[in-house]
Amino acid sequence: MTEPFLSIQHVRKSFGPITVVQDFNLDVEPGEFVSFLGPSGCGKTTVLRMVAGFEEPSAGKIVVAGKDITRLKPNQRNVGMVFQAYALFPNLTVAQNIGFGLKVAGMPKADADRRIAEMLDIIKLPQMGDRYPYQLSGGQQQRIALARAIAPKPKLLLLDEPLSALDAKVRVSLREEIRSIQKKLGITTIFVTHDQEEALSISDRIAVMYGGKAEQVGTPFEIYNRPATKFVANFVGTLNVLEGTVTDAASGKVRVNSQEVSLKGKLNGSKSGDTLSLALRPEAISLGRHPGRDSSLSGEIAEVHFLGSVIRVRVGIGGATVSLDTFNSPATPPPAVGEKAEISFSSGDMLVLH
Amino acid sequence: MKSGRFWAWVVFALGAAYFFIPLIATVEFSMRMRRGAYSFDAYKVVFGDPRFQATFGYSVLTAVFTIILGVLIVVPTAYWIRLRMPQLRPVVEFITLLPLVIPAIVIVFGYIRMYGSNSPLPFLGSETGANALLVIGYATLALPYMYRAVDTGLRTIDVRTLTEAAQILGAGWGTIITRVILPNVLIAVLSGAFLTFAIVIGEFTMASLLNRPAFGPYLQNVGANRAYEPAALAIIAFAITWGCMSLIQILSRFAPRSANRPN
């Protein structure tokens, strides 16, 4: 196993009596792109700011490339950072902004100019060197901020919700650009976001945070398909949650609204009479019976939303409602509200939330 | 609606008359030195007076030192308050307003008692010390204007994020203040500087009681002993003040335009 490049060990941060980060641990491999995903106030930005040196941990340590940087000042860490509000220096041109870190580091002017030109090429804005930040769009400003952060060749790149202030279209293109530049340069990156689609689409691994702790750390595939906690399951993607009662733990039988479902091998530690939260992703459910889907539940169509290529159907099952999406087929009219319906799914796709 | 507009113009005309009639009268009087004809004789006498040149030069130099001292005190203070101690802002604002409440004569009597030649800090024991004390006193008088100008300038930029962006790029405090903060509030600093200049040029109380050869006491002296020259001097002083204000307006057009949202 390789030595982690960034190691955050038992880090805690309190502001007065309030603890915002508690016992946070994470190892990041060299060149890895890790996202901190969570709702507002979950502590993700605080962890990032502790890595940057803007906040000092109340306990624990942060190690980069084998060196303990916990008590180092931000300007001694050789870390690059991109801020949500761009934070370009308004009095400097684009080229001067990119060259700021190089000048502070004392790089000779000729070398700095070469590096600035290289950075402008990487972010695909080669003609923009003489412009001022106010003359650029939000997306361009954030690309300049990215170039400024990576120009001094930092050991670590920190991205603090860099796409939040941009419109939807620019966000998608810029996140792909950030990922492609990160891969090209092989720079270890921490990306903070509250947008699950962003995190799922560009990360090697995601740390889902809640209440100052990492609820789960894993690849986007693992986080989405095998959520470790109820919070992760609810926060990442859309989820249908059904309450069930264990009727026979040994054979994996669970009763959901007086209908029995088999969950073989998933009820470890449960006993008959226990109440469980069961979760199903909308894409794991089909309307009607389908081959290969070994479980089913009956209900009544509660709502139908025609969205063009997709029809979103909500099926009432006892007191619960299950959402599912079906593709629009011109030959088959959508179901009608009030119709009896059966939904089917593979019992393997059903998650038992703890 | 039309009636409202009419009265607005009436109020404007009255205000303008209140302001301009004494000014026009002073200009007219200052040009009547030569009997039976308008001339600039009073202005020639004033500009030709060596005491005018000496006192004006002294006050300009004092103003420059006052501005430097004011910038050195106010910029780091206002910056630090915004960055790290925003809870102290009301306290600092109150302190900076005190020179508007406490008359200059009270401040200068305090100085004379505190810094007399027999005190542990005998500023008034030497010419240089007295000049330094005058600069300190003027910096105090100009504090409300300088602090507000700089604080307003700092409000237009995202001080915290810009500071952090510079820090993470390796900059120390000196670089941050000189290369990031000061250039972005330079116009605000210049506004404060010109206001300071205008205050220092006409100030009488401190300069007179500290017995300094400044322009204010010279204005008073000429006013007490001559007829037409005081009117010419008043117009000159007025022109200097207006010139300063116009420079603030012109320079504000060159302020770096912020692309960041303020905090």
Side-chain angles (χ1 to χ4, degrees):
Chain A
M1 190 176 157
T2 55
E3 185 84 0
F5 185 74
L6 164 69
S7 181
I8 304 172
Q9 301 169 10
H10 304 290
V11 161
R12 185 169 62 78
K13 178 68 187 174
S14 302
F15 293 103
I18 301 160
T19 301
V20 290
V21 175
Q22 35 188 319
D23 198 29
F24 186 89
N25 292 283
L26 180 72
D27 284 344
V28 181
E29 301 302 318
E32 203 178 6
F33 192 111
V34 176
S35 293
F36 291 172
L37 174 67
S40 296
C42 70
K44 55 190 189 298
T45 296
T46 308
V47 175
L48 191 85
R49 290 176 62 78
M50 286 192 280
V51 175
F54 298 133
E55 305 289 351
E56 200 173 301
S58 306
K61 68 175 181 176
I62 298 165
V63 178
V64 173
K67 186 183 173 192
D68 185 349
I69 62 160
T70 318
R71 310 286 161 208
L72 288 185
K73 290 176 184 167
N75 57 357
Q76 298 168 331
R77 294 191 177 204
N78 192 16
V79 167
M81 185 157 171
V82 178
F83 298 82
Q84 184 182 345
Y86 320 138
L88 294 176
F89 306 127
N91 57 312
L92 302 181
T93 63
V94 164
Q96 288 167 334
N97 262 285
I98 297 173
F100 186 91
L102 307 175
K103 195 168 178 182
V104 167
M107 185 184 271
K109 195 177 176 308
D111 294 348
D113 288 346
R114 223 178 352 261
R115 181 77 178 149
I116 291 165
E118 194 185 323
M119 286 295 110
L120 285 169
D121 277 342
I122 284 179
I123 57 164
K124 299 186 186 109
L125 294 172
Q127 309 301 324
M128 298 281 186
D130 293 330
R131 299 224 184 152
Y132 280 91
Y134 73 88
Q135 296 172 311
L136 306 175
S137 70
Q140 288 172 331
Q141 284 190 60
Q142 202 56 298
R143 277 146 80 186
I144 303 298
L146 177 67
R148 181 181 68 176
I150 57 181
K153 298 185 179 168
K155 287 191 231 167
L156 195 62
L157 178 63
L158 309 176
L159 307 169
D160 185 10
E161 306 212 31
L163 309 172
S164 302
L166 305 172
D167 62 60
K169 211 170 172 184
V170 179
R171 284 167 83 136
V172 174
S173 67
L174 190 53
R175 81 181 181 212
E176 283 160 8
E177 206 172 321
I178 287 174
R179 180 57 162 152
S180 125
I181 292 170
Q182 184 269 338
K183 271 186 173 168
K184 191 170 162 188
L185 301 177
I187 185 167
T188 311
T189 302
I190 304 287
F191 177 73
V192 164
T193 181
H194 60 263
D195 185 322
Q196 48 171 297
E197 192 192 311
E198 256 169 42
L200 290 168
S201 64
I202 60 172
S203 314
D204 289 321
R205 279 193 303 151
I206 298 171
V208 183
M209 291 186 65
Y210 181 62
K213 284 191 292 193
E215 289 271 312
Q216 186 178 359
V217 180
T219 63
F221 186 84
E222 286 167 349
I223 295 283
Y224 190 83
N225 294 304
R226 291 194 286 279
T229 66
K230 205 169 179 174
F231 172 79
V232 176
N234 272 310
F235 188 75
V236 182
T238 310
L239 202 67
N240 296 296
V241 180
L242 299 162
E243 296 301 318
T245 310
V246 179
T247 51
D248 184 352
S251 60
K253 300 271 191 232
V254 177
R255 190 187 302 121
V256 178
N257 289 306
S258 68
Q259 301 177 57
E260 209 151 71
V261 177
S262 174
L263 295 174
K264 236 175 183 172
K266 291 199 169 184
L267 299 180
N268 299 339
S270 300
K271 56 185 189 304
S272 298
D274 282 357
T275 308
L276 297 174
S277 291
L278 307 169
L280 270 172
R281 296 280 182 204
E283 62 270 25
I285 309 170
S286 303
L287 203 55
R289 281 196 170 272
H290 284 263
R293 306 231 153 163
D294 57 359
S295 297
S296 65
L297 288 167
S298 300
E300 195 174 275
I301 304 289
E303 289 171 39
V304 178
H305 299 283
F306 185 75
L307 305 174
S309 62
V310 166
I311 300 168
R312 183 154 299 155
V313 181
R314 288 167 71 80
V315 181
I317 296 170
T321 309
V322 170
S323 282
L324 61 107
D325 292 339
T326 62
F327 284 113
N328 174 27
S329 160
T332 317
V337 172
E339 260 180 31
K340 295 283 175 208
E342 195 171 22
I343 59 164
S344 63
F345 50 90
S346 166
S347 59
D349 289 336
M350 188 164 255
L351 309 165
V352 179
L353 305 179
H354 300 285
Chain B
M1 189 73 187
K2 273 192 170 174
S3 154
R5 223 176 144 75
F6 169 77
W7 285 111
W9 277 109
V10 169
V11 171
F12 177 77
L14 282 173
Y18 180 80
F19 182 76
F20 280 108
I21 289 172
L23 195 64
I24 293 164
T26 310
V27 172
E28 198 265 352
F29 184 71
S30 71
M31 296 171 78
R32 285 169 68 174
M33 195 174 186
R34 196 178 300 170
R35 201 168 288 255
Y38 284 126
S39 71
F40 288 101
D41 288 357
Y43 293 88
K44 278 183 200 154
V45 171
V46 167
F47 285 124
D49 184 354
R51 284 185 306 153
F52 169 82
Q53 292 152 13
T55 55
F56 190 72
Y58 178 89
S59 283
V60 168
L61 199 62
T62 308
V64 169
F65 280 110
T66 305
I67 288 164
I68 293 169
L69 182 65
V71 169
L72 288 177
I73 293 171
V74 169
V75 174
T77 307
Y79 169 62
W80 203 248
I81 293 288
R82 280 217 154 253
L83 186 67
R84 291 288 154 89
M85 291 184 281
Q87 71 279 7
L88 280 185
R89 219 167 128 227
V91 178
V92 175
E93 282 197 352
F94 175 74
I95 292 168
T96 61
L97 279 176
L98 285 178
L100 291 181
V101 183
I102 302 169
I105 197 159
V106 175
I107 298 174
V108 79
F109 270 120
Y111 282 176
I112 290 167
R113 282 185 70 87
M114 285 291 292
Y115 305 118
S117 43
N118 295 325
S119 74
L121 273 173
F123 273 108
L124 295 174
S126 67
E127 285 285 306
T128 315
N131 291 337
L133 195 59
L134 186 67
V135 167
I136 293 167
Y138 282 165
T140 309
L141 286 186
L143 203 56
Y145 310 101
M146 185 60 107
Y147 184 82
R148 249 143 218 81
V150 172
D151 194 49
T152 305
L154 287 171
R155 206 175 296 174
T156 63
I157 58 170
D158 187 345
V159 170
R160 187 173 139 168
T161 314
L162 289 180
T163 301
E164 289 179 351
Q167 273 184 311
I168 206 79
L169 288 164
W173 290 115
T175 309
I176 293 169
I177 289 186
T178 54
R179 292 202 51 212
V180 177
I181 301 301
L182 199 55
N184 284 301
V185 295
L186 193 59
I187 301 306
V189 170
L190 285 173
S191 300
F194 285 123
L195 286 170
T196 305
F197 187 82
I199 290 166
V200 171
I201 286 296
E203 207 282 335
F204 168 75
T205 315
M206 281 197 169
S208 174
L209 289 171
L210 292 176
N211 197 25
R212 295 295 82 211
F215 192 54
Y218 169 74
L219 278 177
Q220 189 276 337
N221 185 266
V222 171
N225 300 302
R226 309 293 285 265
Y228 300 101
E229 289 86 339
L233 272 172
I235 297 301
I236 292 165
F238 204 78
I240 292 166
T241 312
W242 268 34
C244 289
M245 299 300 159
S246 308
L247 273 176
I248 293 172
Q249 291 296 320
I250 293 165
L251 284 172
S252 63
R253 292 183 189 177
F254 298 100
R257 274 191 254 177
S258 178
N260 300 289
R261 269 189 293 274
N263 10 328

